[in-house]
Amino acid sequence: MASKSFYAVIAGVGAGTGRSVALRFARSYPVVLLARKPESYNDIVSEIKKQGGEAIGISADTSDPQSVSSAFEAIKKELPDKKLAAAIYNVGAGFAVKPFLELTPSDLNTSLASNAGGLFNFAQATLPSLLDSVPSSPFPPSLIITGATASVRGSPRFATFAAGKFAARALSQSLAREFGPKGVHVAHVIVDGVIDIPRTKEYRVNDGVEDGKISPDAIAESYWHLHTQHRSSFTHELDLRPYVEKF
Amino acid sequence: MASKSFYAVIAGVGAGTGRSVALRFARSYPVVLLARKPESYNDIVSEIKKQGGEAIGISADTSDPQSVSSAFEAIKKELPDKKLAAAIYNVGAGFAVKPFLELTPSDLNTSLASNAGGLFNFAQATLPSLLDSVPSSPFPPSLIITGATASVRGSPRFATFAAGKFAARALSQSLAREFGPKGVHVAHVIVDGVIDIPRTKEYRVNDGVEDGKISPDAIAESYWHLHTQHRSSFTHELDLRPYVEKF
Amino acid sequence: MASKSFYAVIAGVGAGTGRSVALRFARSYPVVLLARKPESYNDIVSEIKKQGGEAIGISADTSDPQSVSSAFEAIKKELPDKKLAAAIYNVGAGFAVKPFLELTPSDLNTSLASNAGGLFNFAQATLPSLLDSVPSSPFPPSLIITGATASVRGSPRFATFAAGKFAARALSQSLAREFGPKGVHVAHVIVDGVIDIPRTKEYRVNDGVEDGKISPDAIAESYWHLHTQHRSSFTHELDLRPYVEKF
Amino acid sequence: MASKSFYAVIAGVGAGTGRSVALRFARSYPVVLLARKPESYNDIVSEIKKQGGEAIGISADTSDPQSVSSAFEAIKKELPDKKLAAAIYNVGAGFAVKPFLELTPSDLNTSLASNAGGLFNFAQATLPSLLDSVPSSPFPPSLIITGATASVRGSPRFATFAAGKFAARALSQSLAREFGPKGVHVAHVIVDGVIDIPRTKEYRVNDGVEDGKISPDAIAESYWHLHTQHRSSFTHELDLRPYVEKF
């Protein structure tokens, strides 16, 4: 169904959602992985290659417009003949959990820069290419953004994190309304729960019940479904949470 | 992936979403179609059988608890050894488009009875079976409800229709929060646009642009995706709309 | 500021919000109190008269269109020269708290009939009069509806109550969008917490902290504020909750 | 009702909401006006004094934490014996209206810095004082934030403005949930329409109908109502729009 003339790019890869999304999309496209440090993507690149897929990793700080530009110039050199089918923004920094009066302007700026600024830079770099792919892409060219509970709910101790996530959701909505009618599918996913990754192994959530943490592979399946939706039936927003999660 | 030991039931089949959902689920399960009149399901039953699937149609008025009970007793007789994997509530009556002061109590009651009352009866009839299927079902047993723009927005001229659709969404949320932790996936789909069916052929929507009406087959793909989501990553609500739809 | 040529009508009076709203509006208008039984309004009528205000009580079941018509005919006879300045719908029946599978169709119907059907009947009876008052009323003629947490959130054990409350909110939104531009102020108030009335005296909420239950007089102040808002600055929806309430 | 031992501070004053709020609160409290340039507050200070109120203006850039600190040190010197009763954040910069691909990182940063960063700095400077006033303030100490349509809706051409406004709403919700239980009333107001000020005199909105733009004095009345709400009945969010506004 998909095509080797197209590629997908995933910003924000590590042990969780980013890795699973990369593996899932690599079943149909060469994938480009962006992360600040090579150690975040090196293993995933190897894993994809081992499974017969194509992958390259590029170091980039999405919160820096210059760094994003350089990364996309590098992509152009590495994949000169390929068009962009899907861009996934999965960067999740700026997670400071503190009472409001202990937070600093720097906590706020880190969250805004990584969640909103990074998405802004990534969207500006990818949307022209996604628009360019509209007539030929096997599925509607897609920009998919990873959100969180904090995208729709400001909580005590999460004030600055929520600020960044709300701002990213504002961008997502604005982009969906502007670029949807041009054929680009912009979707925002509210991941509402703890993701089951090595770092959260010890977390006891939902009373430790089986499947009480979100499988990142399951998230990736929903991202792939979003990408393959027919343009007459785009989803802009969906939530994902473990069956046992309170909401 | 799916199994002949399970079946799916779709309430509210006709020329649009119901038919497409029935065809989609029939690729994996025998399906039972409920509609008030045989002419609503007869052709779909034939179509499914022609494609090698199994289907039966049963006449039922979901707004009548007695009629729903009878239908499920009939199902038990027809499919004595099968368990329920998925129940889709797609009944959409009660669509009166008038200024408020021209609406009658009967307009309100029709909308409440078909959208909320019918879902209530259908949910009471199917949830015990869905719970029973939790340990063995190939995918998490699912109750999927078709909503509309009017599920989240009350508009002039749509007061009673919105009342019924809001009420159905209230039930959906309540059921998701009660039965999710027990392993049943309850999902609510906001269909935001005109569906491309024979009845809407002549409607000029979204300036008549191609794919400006929602393909019911595309809706069915998203319902199937919902049904196959891993229980660690359930979606409760998603929207579906044509790429050109204003929202 | 207000005028004796106008009156206010409050449907659903008893010991809580209805009584406080009646007393508050009686400081400016003669008030008509509707309740199913005289014992619900008799004491309030006396209380208002003792304070120098005017009040009459009329027995009516708002879920019955005929009963509502009769009540408004009675009002016309009792107050032949007065116009309607404010109509408050505060009926709150249909509160069944049970697991979904223990709820009956009758629980659903009671909630839909009192919360949505009653509002429908009350709105049909009052909107023509409210429209008629637009040119002369001291403040924009107002229809104010009492909602609850369940108006925006379906919860386990509150499925049918939420269905009724969601449906009422749908009507409120539809009416606001249709009648606002004609000069009638339709507002919906989400009362999110336990109200401090004799019946809830023994409830221990919010750890029994002072002011942890909502003062009905405070609710009434917000209703009066809504009524007095300038037509260039209408509020459609506001929430009210104790400072200590989790939300 | 109020007291000369308390003061109110309004950040973001000019010809519209800020001025009206200052005049309204000056009927009960000395007020401090913050704006980047003296020409924004000088006339309002004179106007308040002419009416017998007390007012001082202080130049401050709320997006700069240092500037905010200096302003509050200046307040402490000018009003050494007064406690803070109400803090209103009404700063509204960052309004760039452009297609997304014409927006720059600087457009985004300006919106985030003024709408979210400024609120963050202002809240950090005022919340300790507001907490300190809880036991003695005539009304619950209040932090009221001015939002906009873009606080709840991302639109084409408003991507960066919405990002800032969504982020401010995230902070507002987080603060309400953290400081409400401590007795501070945090409220967020969605101003949904064009405000009737000299700058918008020529705008033709809502077909030029009378009262089709929001009276800033009407907004101020709702802010004062929020401030005076009893702590058992706090509103966190309300919308304000002209009766003819589509929503």
Side-chain angles (χ1 to χ4, degrees), chain C residues 173 176-177 180-183 210-215 218-219 221-223 225 229-245 247, chain D residues 173 176-177 180-183 210-215 218-219 221-223 225 229-245 247:
Chain C
Q173 278 188 14
R177 290 183 167 113
K182 298 176 178 172
E210 203 189 335
D211 295 327
K213 295 174 197 161
I214 311 179
S215 154
I219 297 177
E221 282 303 322
S222 287
Y223 280 41
H225 174 67
Q229 282 183 321
H230 186 250
R231 69 174 174 169
S232 81
S233 185
F234 279 168
T235 290
H236 174 57
E237 191 163 81
L238 58 76
D239 49 302
L240 294 174
R241 69 175 59 79
Y243 69 117
V244 286
E245 190 78 20
F247 74 103
Chain D
Q173 278 189 14
R177 291 183 166 112
K182 297 176 179 171
E210 203 190 334
D211 295 328
K213 295 174 196 162
I214 311 179
S215 152
I219 298 176
E221 282 304 322
S222 287
Y223 280 42
H225 175 66
Q229 283 183 319
H230 187 250
R231 69 174 175 170
S232 82
S233 186
F234 279 169
T235 290
H236 174 57
E237 191 163 81
L238 58 77
D239 48 302
L240 292 175
R241 70 175 59 78
Y243 68 118
V244 287
E245 189 79 18
F247 74 103

Side-chain angles (χ1 to χ4, degrees), chain B residues 95 97 158 193-214:
Chain B
F95 193 69
V97 185
F158 291 88
V194 171
I195 303 178
D196 190 11
I197 50 174
R199 185 169 55 80
T200 63
K201 213 43 125 197
E202 301 307 313
Y203 294 14
R204 188 175 163 81
V205 292
N206 289 318
D207 299 321
V209 78
E210 202 190 335
D211 295 329
K213 295 174 197 162
I214 310 179

Side-chain angles (χ1 to χ4, degrees), chain A residues 93-110:
Chain A
F95 193 69
V97 185
K98 295 181 209 165
F100 181 71
L101 294 173
E102 293 175 22
L103 289 164
T104 65
S106 151
D107 289 323
L108 178 67
N109 290 338
T110 303

